[in-house]
Amino acid sequence: YTREGAKIALPDLSEGEAYYLSVKYSVGERLAEKFVEIFGEERCESIFASLCDVAGTTLRTNTLKISRDDFCAQADNAVADELCPTAAFIKGSVRDTYGFDEGLFFVQDRASQICTAVLGAKEGDTVIDVCSCPGSKSFGAAIDMNNTGKILAFDLHAKKLPLITDGAKRLGINIITAAQCDGRTPIDELVENADKVLCDVPCSGFGVLAKKPELRYKDPTESDALPDIQLAILNNASRYVKHGGTLVYSTCTVFPRENEQNIRRFLESNRDFILTPFEYGGVKAPEGYVTLLPDEHGTDGFFIAKLTKI
């Protein structure tokens, strides 16, 4: 390819839309077929093209220590984002960026920052982050809470918990308690204990192909069992929400089976929850949920649904 790249032609569209797109954008043909099925050929190409245009690394400013404007003024490689009021872009090394050792920021995509904002954590709240690692949403919630209140951050894998504890220490956050727990396993003492519950479930990850190139060649049928696992986690997490409290469900995929369809399934058997409209930065969700897409929002592909327990 290095020698002959300019002479290698793309397949003809007559050979099939999905095949053409799979070669042009280096995506497995079965995955391309799935995207075309959901979005249609034109929108699918727009999404795939955006996955090849990575703007840089997105940070969330630690406003416990510095404002975003002051951070961007002092970090010569940082630019404030227009879509998300807490986000800044950098190019170059994260480790060498101004304020890393001082805990002035952490890495978090804008979609994840928007998800944290939708949760609406505030001072004094009790928050449960059911599938927390590497912990960025817990960090964001703690900042929104002005480091006052309590956050329980759970993850299935104990070996990942230092990502939370070490990250919180660097940021100067002391309200997070990290522990190992399967999101499907009930914890009776937490029933109706939390003001806010975040359920960022394990997913197929097909919204983050730009950052995880190995997923470009994954057969989407390998993820067919995920919706039932996700729903089991969501059902269990919903038990922890107080009356009047907030439950946020999110994924980093764009497939309806893991997103809207799972929310419908949940609501059919949980009549004490309702979808709640939200708006944050440049994102509006009048129906209570939104799928963020890289070609439209410049974020990871990401799904967010906000529910209130009535």
Side-chain angles (χ1 to χ4, degrees):
Y1 180 83
T2 301
R3 291 191 302 271
E4 305 292 339
K7 301 177 184 178
I8 296 174
L10 289 170
D12 193 280
L13 270 173
S14 63
E15 298 181 57
E17 298 169 350
Y19 177 61
Y20 168 82
L21 292 172
S22 75
V23 174
K24 184 174 181 180
Y25 296 102
S26 192
V27 173
E29 188 172 0
R30 288 188 178 182
L31 186 57
E33 289 171 352
K34 189 68 175 177
F35 268 84
V36 170
E37 175 190 329
I38 294 171
F39 297 103
E41 179 195 355
E42 185 175 341
R43 186 64 191 279
C44 176
E45 179 154 20
S46 174
I47 293 170
F48 282 172
S50 70
L51 296 173
C52 300
D53 183 21
V54 180
T57 303
T58 313
L59 309 179
R60 167 150 185 183
T61 309
N62 181 2
T63 51
L64 296 173
K65 297 185 175 185
I66 192 171
S67 71
R68 185 181 69 166
D69 289 346
D70 285 346
F71 170 73
C72 289
Q74 295 183 59
D76 56 12
N77 62 336
V79 178
D81 174 49
E82 296 181 2
L83 177 73
C84 180
T86 57
F89 288 114
I90 65 163
K91 290 189 176 180
S93 166
V94 171
R95 185 64 182 79
D96 294 337
T97 295
Y98 166 79
F100 177 87
D101 289 330
E102 295 78 12
L104 301 188
F105 65 83
F106 57 97
V107 175
Q108 187 179 33
D109 186 76
R110 292 187 294 171
S112 183
Q113 294 188 42
I114 292 166
C115 178
T116 305
V118 170
L119 185 66
K122 61 183 187 301
E123 288 189 26
D125 274 350
T126 294
V127 174
I128 298 176
D129 188 352
V130 179
C131 305
S132 182
C133 286
S136 63
K137 296 181 186 68
S138 286
F139 302 154
I143 293 170
D144 291 342
M145 296 161 67
N146 199 28
N147 202 30
T148 303
K150 179 171 64 175
I151 297 177
L152 302 178
F154 297 125
D155 198 83
L156 178 62
H157 304 288
K159 65 182 180 181
K160 291 184 178 181
L161 296 179
L163 294 171
I164 302 173
T165 54
D166 294 349
K169 183 179 180 180
R170 182 178 68 85
L171 295 167
I173 293 168
N174 58 21
I175 64 169
I176 298 175
T177 300
Q180 181 184 18
C181 182
D182 187 323
R184 297 165 291 186
T185 302
I187 304 175
D188 291 339
E189 59 267 32
L190 296 182
V191 172
E192 296 188 356
N193 184 262
D195 301 285
K196 311 288 189 326
V197 174
L198 175 60
C199 198
D200 184 51
V201 294
C203 69
S204 59
F206 291 127
V208 291
L209 298 181
K211 297 173 180 175
K212 296 186 176 181
E214 71 278 7
L215 293 180
R216 288 174 175 266
Y217 313 105
K218 185 177 179 180
D219 185 338
T221 61
E222 293 178 24
S223 303
D224 283 350
L226 277 173
D228 287 342
I229 295 171
Q230 295 160 344
L231 184 60
I233 295 172
L234 180 59
N235 278 321
N236 187 49
S238 71
R239 301 171 66 241
Y240 304 147
V241 184
K242 293 178 180 178
H243 293 286
T246 299
L247 173 64
V248 169
Y249 173 85
S250 63
T251 73
C252 57
T253 192
V254 295
F255 289 173
R257 286 188 69 240
E258 300 178 62
N259 296 341
E260 300 96 318
Q261 292 177 25
N262 249 352
I263 290 298
R264 290 193 203 103
R265 293 168 69 196
F266 172 78
L267 291 172
E268 285 172 2
S269 57
N270 293 273
R271 301 292 183 178
D272 52 343
F273 281 88
I274 58 170
L275 282 164
T276 306
F278 61 86
E279 180 177 342
Y280 180 73
V283 175
K284 296 181 180 180
E287 296 180 332
Y289 61 85
V290 66
T291 300
L292 302 174
L293 293 166
D295 64 328
E296 180 180 353
H297 302 97
T299 66
D300 289 338
F302 205 92
F303 178 79
I304 307 167
K306 181 178 182 179
L307 302 120
T308 302
K309 187 171 185 178
I310 56 173

